[in-house]
Structures are given as structure tokens and as C-alpha cells.
């Protein structure tokens, strides 16, 4: 009895918390009338999005949820190709936002998109270096110098495919110390000081103060199109369509450009 | 029903040395068949839960192209690196972990309970966090790593050594816990006898304690090796991913999943086959099967 005392009290507290939470959400969602004009957009919208969209989509989500009080966005951010595999294996997602046409194509080819995927932004590679650019890196050629360590994305993920195209266009041979599994992992190797440079998207390099971006002309050869689509088996299709429309609207594009994305 | 079964296989059977087990087999078998439903059902579910996902791998494997995929140089390089790194990591764990286990089991020092708790931290820590922690300690800007970089011009991340370190970090608790358990299970009167006969503590450890806990060390090593072989999160975070140098099998499975799922399945099957083969072989040789 003595042993169970505290546990039971904790349990009681947990139940109470849950009850309060239920009461609160119960009050907020059905009781708040939907703004007239908008059809009932509600429930959870599950969005599978490329890792490079992490910050901008979370920002857009706040605006979207503020405008649609009944709706809640849930994100699964990862490498686009991993997400495509998950979707094709039946993961219950409503929307897929991919960082490359090739990965979106694998989902569309498997018949899992609802309608034609749309290009909604473009992104360009930059050389991410430590803040202040201590090694004085000005272009791709500097990455071939001895003593400069470089991280690239693995070729299997879009940023790696883009990096490969850009490097091939330059005619240089760059040997990285690591092929990172996604763009944020490559970036974090720079911000932690483990490598001197990494090829990442401009928008990724813009996150945080630890790194800065160095433009290089060859990146124009490898501009990445981002596509978005509602999925065929979306559990919450109406809300998913509303979210995609929001991303494509002026509300969405304003946030996207603020994060450094280029509009198509 | 429940008491029936437990008294049938009860303490006497558990205590009896292996040699007498064979004589008792018929009686034990009878008792063993009576399995109470509240145990049988969840046990069956658990078994299915552990085995069925592996069945999925077999069903979806691209059998026709299997031989050709297996002999690709990249697959072989990843497999070789995995086996070498896991074995080196196990060696590191043995050299450092057995003395630690002995210390925890035999020496009553202040903070022993805390030390024991700390040893298990890598078990509960997400491996990615472990990798990050290693990076912050041994990386180029790490607490220790910056001095290695400055004095010896040596950087650990992105090398095969980093793979071994990451694997040893996540796998060592398995060895320490297994060996410590074995040490606690050993009757310490043997060690006392050795001491009264004039053996030093070091001699006693080498000549009496080590042989007594050898099965525990073997079991711990196997667990440790298996954990190291499957290591992913700490490795990709701390050692990065470069074919032939830090790209172990789990890393190549993960990356192939992005573009070539059938190839990822093939690699998974290889990893599965290798680990099952080695575990079975070691089990028969060293540990002896309990059944």
C-alpha cells in the first residue's frame, strides 16, 4: 500500500491532466465556429516533407493552424527518398513535399499521388562554411585544396545528386570525408567545426548563425525543383488540399521566399 | 495449474548440473507440455512479433538477382568493414570492460552504485545522441579532440577508428553487465581459498576468477559483437559515411533504401545471415545451449 501510494497519486494527477486537456480541446475545437466561407477544414493533416523544408513548413503551419482552428499539422521530416519509400510502402500520409522531381516521380509512378504534383519552390546549392569563413573559401576550386575537409550529401538524396551535377559541371574532383545521409547532417558537420565546408541548399545555410553561405556559379547547373502533392490514400483529403492550396497561395509563398527559396 | 508446472520443473531441475539433465528428460518434457494459457498466448504473440518482420524480408527479397548483387565490390567492402569494426570494438570492450565488471562486482568503493548506473547510460541513450556526445568529446573541436588535432594533427571523426569507438561505446554496457552478472553468480569461496593459499589478488583474478566466469564473458562478447555489428546511429553521426572507410552494412542499408530498396533488402539478409551464423556457431562452441 505504501509503495503504491505515490504511484496512485501520480496516476490520479495524470488522469486529471488528461481530463482537463480533453475539456480544453473539447471547448476549443467544436465550440469555436468555423469562419464563414471556409469549408470545415479540420483534423490532423499528416505532411511528409523533405528535411530542407523543416523550418519553413513549421512556420507556415503556424499560420495555417491560426487560420483553421480545427486543423492540426503533423510533420514527418526526412530525406525525400526515405519518405517516398515510406509512402510507397503504405505510410498514412496526406501530403508529400519532395526536394526533387525524381523522388516525387517514384511516388507518382506508383500511383500514390492524387493529381499532378506541382513545383512550388526552387532551391540552389551553396558552399556552407563556418561563420567568418576562416579558411577563405570562395569557390568550388578551394574545396580541392589539401587540408580542406568537405562533407557532401550522399548521392542517394537530392542534395547529393545536385552536388554531383554541380561538381561535374565544374570539371573538378572533390573527395569528401563523408557522404552524409541528409542535408541537415552535412550542415551540422560544418556548424560543429568537424569539416571546413559542405554543399547544402541556400535555405539550409541560412538557418542559424554558425554557418554562412558562399555562392558558386556552377550551382546554376543543379537547381532543385521542390514538388508538392496530395496523396491518393490521404486519410484527410479535404484538409490536405486546403494545406497545399495555402502553401501555393500568397500566404505560403511569402514565408517561403523569406526563408530564401526561389519561386518557380 | 501454475503451481503444478513450477513444482515439476522447479528448483531441483534448475540447480541440477547439465549431466543429470539428460536422465531426467522424460519427466521434464511431460511437465513442460503443460503450459498455462496466460503464458502461452503472449509468448506466441511475442515470437510472431519478433519473427514475422524477418519473414517480410525473405518474401520481398529479389532472389533472381541475388548472387550478382552479393558480389558487388561495394557490398563486400561494407561487409568486410562491418565484421572488422565489430570485432575490434568487441576486443576494446573486453580489454576495458572485463576489469570494469570485476571492479563493480568485487570492490566496494564509494560511488559504486552510481558507477553501475552510469555504465548502463549508453543502453538507454539514443545512439544518435551517443554519436553526438562522442563528436563533442573527440571531434575536431571536441574537449579532447581539439588537443589531438593541435598536438598530433590527428582527427578521429570520419575514420575507421571512429567506427570502432562508436560501436564500442554503445556495445560495452552489454559486456560489462553480462560479466558483472557472471561474477556475482560465482561462488566467491574459490577466490577466498586461492587467497588463503597465498595467491595475490591479480593471480586469483587470472587463475581462478577468469576461468570461472569464462562462459559469462563469452556470452557478453557475443551480445557485444552483435550490438556493434548492427550499430547505426552513433556511427553515422560520429564517423560519417564513406564507402570502404566508415560505411558499415547498416549505413549502406539505410542509404540504399533511399534509391534501391531491393538492394537494401539483399544487404539486410546478408547481415542477418552472417549474424545468425556466427551467433549459432559461438553458442554451440562456448555457451552451450540451455535446451
Amino acid at each position: 500500500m505504501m509503495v503504491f501510494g505515490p504511484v496512485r497519486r501520480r496516476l490520479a494527477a495524470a488522469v486529471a491532466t488528461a481530463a482537463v486537456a480533453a475539456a480544453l480541446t473539447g471547448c476549443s475545437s467544436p465550440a469555436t465556429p468555423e469562419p464563414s466561407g471556409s469549408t470545415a477544414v479540420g483534423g490532423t493533416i499528416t505532411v511528409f516533407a523533405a528535411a530542407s523544408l523543416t523550418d519553413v513548413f513549421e512556420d507556415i503551419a503556424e499560420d495555417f493552424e491560426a487560420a483553421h482552428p480545427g486543423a492540426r499539422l503533423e510533420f514527418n521530416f526526412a530525406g525525400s527518398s526515405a519518405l517516398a519509400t515510406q509512402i510507397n510502402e503504405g505510410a498514412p500520409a496526406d501530403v508529400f513535399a519532395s526536394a526533387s522531381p525524381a523522388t516525387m516521380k517514384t511516388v507518382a509512378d506508383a500511383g500514390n499521388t492524387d493529381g499532378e504534383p506541382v513545383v512550388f519552390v526552387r532551391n540552389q546549392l551553396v558552399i556552407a562554411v563556418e561563420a567568418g569563413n576562416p579558411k577563405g573559401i570562395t569557390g568550388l576550386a578551394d574545396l580541392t585544396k589539401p587540408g580542406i575537409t568537405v562533407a557532401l550529401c550522399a548521392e542517394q538524396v537530392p542534395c547529393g545528386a545536385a552536388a554531383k551535377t554541380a561538381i561535374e559541371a565544374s570539371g573538378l574532383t572533390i573527395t569528401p570525408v563523408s557522404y552524409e545521409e541528409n542535408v541537415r547532417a552535412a550542415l551540422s558537420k560544418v556548424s560543429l567545426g568537424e569539416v571546413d565546408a559542405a554543399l547544402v541548399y541556400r535555405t539550409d545555410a541560412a538557418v542559424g548563425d554558425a554557418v554562412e553561405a558562399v555562392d558558386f556559379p556552377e550551382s546554376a547547373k543543379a537547381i532543385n525543383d521542390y514538388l508538392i502533392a496530395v496523396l491518393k490514400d490521404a486519410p484527410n483529403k479535404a484538409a490536405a488540399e486546403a494545406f497545399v492550396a495555402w502553401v501555393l497561395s500568397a500566404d505560403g509563398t511569402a514565408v517561403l521566399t523569406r526563408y530564401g527559396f526561389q519561386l518557380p | 495449474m501454475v503451481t503444478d508446472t513450477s513444482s515439476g520443473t522447479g528448483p531441483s531441475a534448475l540447480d541440477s548440473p547439465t549431466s543429470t539433465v539428460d536422465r531426467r528428460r522424460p519427466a521434464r518434457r511431460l511437465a513442460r507440455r503443460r503450459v498455462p494459457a496466460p503464458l502461452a498466448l503472449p509468448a506466441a504473440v511475442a515470437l510472431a512479433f519478433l519473427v514475422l518482420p524477418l519473414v517480410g524480408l525473405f518474401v520481398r527479397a529479389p532472389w533472381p538477382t541475388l548472387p550478382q548483387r552479393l558480389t558487388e565490390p561495394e557490398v563486400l567492402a561494407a561487409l568486410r568493414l562491418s565484421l572488422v569494426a565489430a570485432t575490434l570494438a568487441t576486443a576494446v570492450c573486453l580489454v576495458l570492460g572485463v576489469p570494469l565488471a570485476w571492479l563493480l562486482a568485487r570492490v566496494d568503493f564509494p560511488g559504486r552504485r552510481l558507477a553501475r548506473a552510469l555504465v548502463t547510460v549508453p543502453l538507454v541513450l539514443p545512439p544518435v545522441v551517443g554519436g553526438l556526445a562522442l563528436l563533442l568529446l573527440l571531434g575536431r573541436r571536441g574537449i579532447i579532440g581539439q588537443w589531438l588535432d593541435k598536438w598530433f594533427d590527428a582527427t578521429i571523426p570520419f575514420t575507421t577508428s571512429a567506427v570502432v569507438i562508436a560501436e564500442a561505446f554503445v556495445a560495452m554496457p552489454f559486456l560489462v553487465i553480462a560479466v558483472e552478472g557472471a561474477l556475482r553468480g560465482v561462488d566467491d569461496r574459490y577466490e577466498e581459498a586461492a587467497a588463503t593459499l597465498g595467491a595475490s589478488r591479480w593471480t586469483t583474478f587470472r587463475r581462478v576468477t577468469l576461468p570461472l566466469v569464462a562462459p559469462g564473458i563469452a556470452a557478453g562478447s557475443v551480445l557485444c559483437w552483435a550490438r556493434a555489428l548492427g550499430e547505426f546511429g552513433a556511427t553515422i553521426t560520429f564517423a560519417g559515411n564513406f564507402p570502404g572507410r566508415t560505411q558499415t552494412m547498416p549505413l549502406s542499408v539505410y542509404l540504399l533504401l533511399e534509391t534501391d530498396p531491393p538492394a537494401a533488402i539483399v544487404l539486410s539478409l546478408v547481415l542477418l545471415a552472417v549474424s545468425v551464423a556466427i551467433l549459432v556457431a559461438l553458442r554451440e562452441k562456448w555457451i552451450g545451449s540451455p535446451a
Side-chain angles (χ1 to χ4, degrees):
Chain A
M1 255 349 230
M2 289 292 283
V3 180
F4 286 104
V7 175
R8 200 176 272 177
R9 215 176 307 139
R10 237 180 294 149
L11 194 65
V15 170
T17 315
V20 169
L24 283 178
T25 48
C27 281
S28 65
S29 47
T32 314
E34 284 287 335
S36 55
S38 83
T39 47
V41 169
T44 302
I45 311 162
T46 308
V47 178
F48 280 29
S52 46
L53 292 168
T54 305
D55 301 281
V56 67
F57 264 25
E58 272 168 3
D59 210 336
I60 290 177
E62 267 179 41
D63 298 344
F64 182 80
E65 285 171 351
H68 304 86
R72 210 169 58 80
L73 282 157
E74 248 174 28
F75 289 109
N76 178 10
F77 294 112
S80 298
S81 332
L83 295 173
T85 307
Q86 288 170 10
I87 291 166
N88 287 340
E89 291 296 326
D94 293 300
V95 176
F96 178 40
S98 145
S100 84
T103 43
M104 182 57 90
K105 190 168 179 295
T106 60
V107 175
D109 285 353
N112 288 327
T113 53
D114 189 45
E116 199 61 18
V118 187
V119 177
F120 68 107
V121 278
R122 298 209 152 113
N123 211 348
Q124 201 163 349
L125 289 176
V126 295
I127 305 171
V129 295
E130 249 185 291
N133 198 356
K135 302 271 168 147
I137 289 164
T138 55
L140 277 188
D142 291 330
L143 305 188
T144 62
K145 287 183 184 163
I148 300 286
T149 51
V150 182
L152 297 179
C153 295
E155 276 171 32
Q156 289 91 340
V157 294
C159 64
K164 193 181 174 214
T165 312
I167 292 169
E168 274 172 5
S170 73
L172 296 163
T173 309
I174 295 174
T175 310
V177 292
S178 179
Y179 292 101
E180 296 291 313
E181 90 276 25
N182 72 54
V183 62
R184 290 300 167 98
L187 185 71
S188 73
K189 293 295 191 291
V190 177
S191 60
L192 288 170
E194 294 303 332
V195 297
D196 300 313
L199 295 193
V200 301
Y201 297 122
R202 177 193 308 284
T203 51
D204 293 297
V207 176
D209 303 325
V211 295
E212 63 181 58
V214 175
D215 285 306
F216 62 103
E218 296 86 347
S219 69
K221 296 274 185 347
I223 289 178
N224 243 45
D225 284 343
Y226 283 57
L227 288 91
I228 193 165
V230 173
L231 297 170
K232 188 169 66 68
D233 296 326
N236 193 358
K237 201 169 272 182
E241 276 159 4
F243 177 68
V244 171
W246 181 279
V247 170
L248 296 171
S249 74
D251 289 317
T253 53
V255 180
L256 285 161
T257 48
R258 195 167 76 226
Y259 275 83
F261 284 100
Q262 300 154 18
L263 297 178
Chain B
M1 192 89 157
V2 175
T3 41
D4 224 347
T5 322
S6 68
S7 68
T9 53
S12 62
L14 282 174
D15 289 345
S16 65
T18 6
S19 57
T20 62
V21 166
D22 287 337
R23 271 193 289 116
R24 287 160 157 262
R25 236 184 204 156
R28 288 189 62 187
R29 278 217 179 131
L30 261 180
R32 277 186 171 189
R33 283 212 186 119
R34 268 176 275 146
V35 183
L39 292 181
L41 207 64
V45 170
L47 191 64
F49 173 64
L50 293 176
V51 171
L52 285 181
L54 302 181
V55 172
L57 275 182
F58 279 96
V59 171
R60 295 281 292 269
W63 294 106
T65 58
L66 198 74
Q68 161 207 333
R69 285 173 188 275
L70 282 182
T71 47
E72 275 172 28
E74 279 186 17
V75 174
L76 295 178
L79 182 60
R80 222 196 76 219
L81 180 68
S82 278
L83 295 176
V84 167
T87 307
L88 286 176
T90 309
V92 170
C93 291
L94 276 170
V95 169
L96 304 177
V98 172
L100 176 59
W102 179 82
L103 202 73
L104 291 175
R106 288 290 187 268
V107 183
D108 199 6
F109 60 93
R112 177 162 75 158
R113 291 182 59 173
L114 179 68
R116 192 179 290 135
L118 289 177
V119 164
T120 58
V121 166
L123 279 182
V124 292
L125 209 61
V128 177
V129 178
L132 179 62
L134 286 170
L135 213 47
L136 296 180
L137 181 75
L138 298 173
R140 203 163 63 158
R141 300 286 159 76
I143 302 166
I144 295 176
Q146 57 178 314
W147 303 110
L148 294 178
D149 188 47
K150 201 170 283 176
W151 294 340
F152 307 107
D153 200 24
T155 46
I156 295 175
F158 313 120
T159 63
T160 306
S161 309
V163 178
V164 174
I165 292 170
E167 292 184 350
F169 178 77
V170 294
M172 198 174 318
F174 287 85
L175 183 93
V176 174
I177 290 171
V179 176
E180 198 210 340
L183 280 165
R184 290 174 169 277
V186 163
D187 192 339
D188 57 7
R189 280 175 299 181
Y190 292 111
E191 292 172 10
E192 279 164 24
T196 45
L197 292 170
S200 71
R201 218 166 176 187
W202 170 235
T203 309
T204 309
F205 173 77
R206 274 188 310 129
R207 305 284 297 275
V208 179
T209 317
L210 267 188
L212 279 173
V213 295
I217 294 177
S221 310
V222 168
L223 269 179
C224 175
W225 185 84
R227 177 67 188 87
L229 189 71
E231 216 304 305
F232 171 76
T235 310
I236 203 163
T237 312
F238 181 52
N241 168 56
F242 194 90
R245 192 163 66 212
T246 64
Q247 191 183 76
T248 56
M249 291 287 275
L251 271 60
S252 74
V253 168
Y254 181 76
L255 282 162
L256 279 174
L257 196 54
E258 310 254 318
T259 46
D260 191 1
I265 295 175
V266 170
L267 286 203
S268 310
L269 284 178
V270 172
L271 204 55
L272 191 67
V274 168
S275 46
V276 167
I278 291 182
L279 294 185
V280 167
L282 291 182
R283 214 176 148 76
E284 278 170 2
K285 194 168 178 193
W286 285 349
I287 310 165
S289 78

